[in-house]
Structures are given as structure tokens and as C-alpha cells.
Amino acid sequence: MPTQYVDTDDFDAVVQASVRELLFDDSSSEDGSGYSSDLFNRAAQHASVMVRAAAKNAGYGVDDDTSDEMLQLAALSVLVRFAYGRKQQEVPPDLLDLFGAIPEALRVGDLPLTDTAPDAASGIGGVEFTPSSTTSTSTRARPARLNGLRKLV
């Protein structure tokens, strides 16, 4: 099953259930009677994948079944934008003010996850070094010497 960090309960906590039904209505009547849970779940999966990629960019290794609330909040932020975007509607300014910057802040590492510590070496621009040693071992044989060659003048 694809990653899905948020569900209808999460969405309904910030947007009314009736609005969710309107935003994911796949009928021509567009009154909420043609609500498609498949469309909602697919959008939630896309939002979760985007947020997981943002977290990975910041050096976080997150699982499909994470319960990190900050990651879920970031996925909810993306899902709200997807939902309103489906119907070519603007996200209400109050929601945009609350959720707008969360995914980008996660991506650049300004917003830490609550249950996971980042690994700077795994993030974009991170570097991981191998242990150093003061000795060297050569396994290469000395090259064969060609006696028949003379110095060219």
C-alpha cells in the first residue's frame, strides 16, 4: 500500500467534512453527493510522498508508517492545497497562513520532525567520510620493466 500519512479525520479537523466532500466530488452536480474516497486517498498519498521527499531532502529517514505529527501536519498542508486546487479554488487565507510554509520549512531543515533526528550526511549537500588510516597497503604488483626500450632523443 502506498504511503498515506493523513486521512479524512485529519482533513476534517481543519476543513469541514462537507467541504471535503465538495472538493473531492467527482460528479457533474458538484454538490458533494458524488464524493470519491478514492480521489481523496490518492491525493493524500501524493501529498505524503511529496512530504516524505522533503523530509529526505533535509536528512530525515522516515518510514511509510511513521506517526511523527510534524510529518503528518506537513502532509495535511500539501493535501489541503491539492484539494482546493482540484476545483481551481483558492485556499482560504486562514488555512494558507497556518499551513503554507510547513512543507518548505521541512524541506530546508528549518522545521524539525518531532520523533526523528536528521542525519546531516544524508541530506542534500551532506558528506559522509570513510575512516582514515595512516598506513597504506598496495596490492598492485610492480610494473614489468621493458629492457629493450631505449631513450628517444
Side-chain angles (χ1 to χ4, degrees):
M1 167 178 260
T3 302
Q4 185 170 337
Y5 297 140
V6 293
D7 57 20
T8 55
D9 290 339
D10 298 316
F11 193 86
D12 294 350
V14 296
V15 180
Q16 292 178 339
S18 60
V19 174
R20 173 180 44 85
E21 291 168 357
L22 288 170
L23 293 172
F24 289 97
D25 187 335
D26 202 28
S27 68
S28 57
S29 64
E30 296 193 12
D31 61 359
S33 62
Y35 169 75
S36 171
S37 61
D38 290 339
L39 286 176
F40 175 87
N41 289 331
R42 193 66 185 135
Q45 291 163 358
H46 287 312
S48 299
V49 168
M50 286 185 69
V51 167
R52 186 172 184 187
K56 189 170 187 170
N57 189 70
Y60 290 99
V62 293
D63 298 326
D64 287 345
D65 59 349
T66 186
S67 60
D68 190 292
E69 291 180 1
M70 197 56 69
L71 196 67
Q72 292 170 336
L73 192 60
L76 183 59
S77 171
V78 174
L79 180 58
V80 165
R81 291 180 195 195
F82 283 170
Y84 281 92
R86 279 194 84 250
K87 297 293 182 173
Q88 291 80 40
Q89 294 182 12
E90 293 290 322
V91 177
D94 293 347
L95 282 177
L96 199 54
D97 288 344
L98 287 172
F99 293 116
I102 293 174
E104 179 63 10
L106 174 63
R107 187 187 71 78
V108 299
D110 289 343
L111 182 70
L113 296 182
T114 53
D115 295 342
T116 309
D119 176 13
S122 298
I124 298 297
V127 178
E128 188 170 316
F129 295 95
T130 57
S132 63
S133 174
T134 58
T135 61
S136 173
T137 306
S138 175
T139 58
R140 187 174 148 173
R142 191 171 183 179
R145 188 170 184 186
L146 302 175
N147 292 328
L149 294 178
R150 297 185 189 257
K151 188 175 181 183
L152 296 176
V153 180

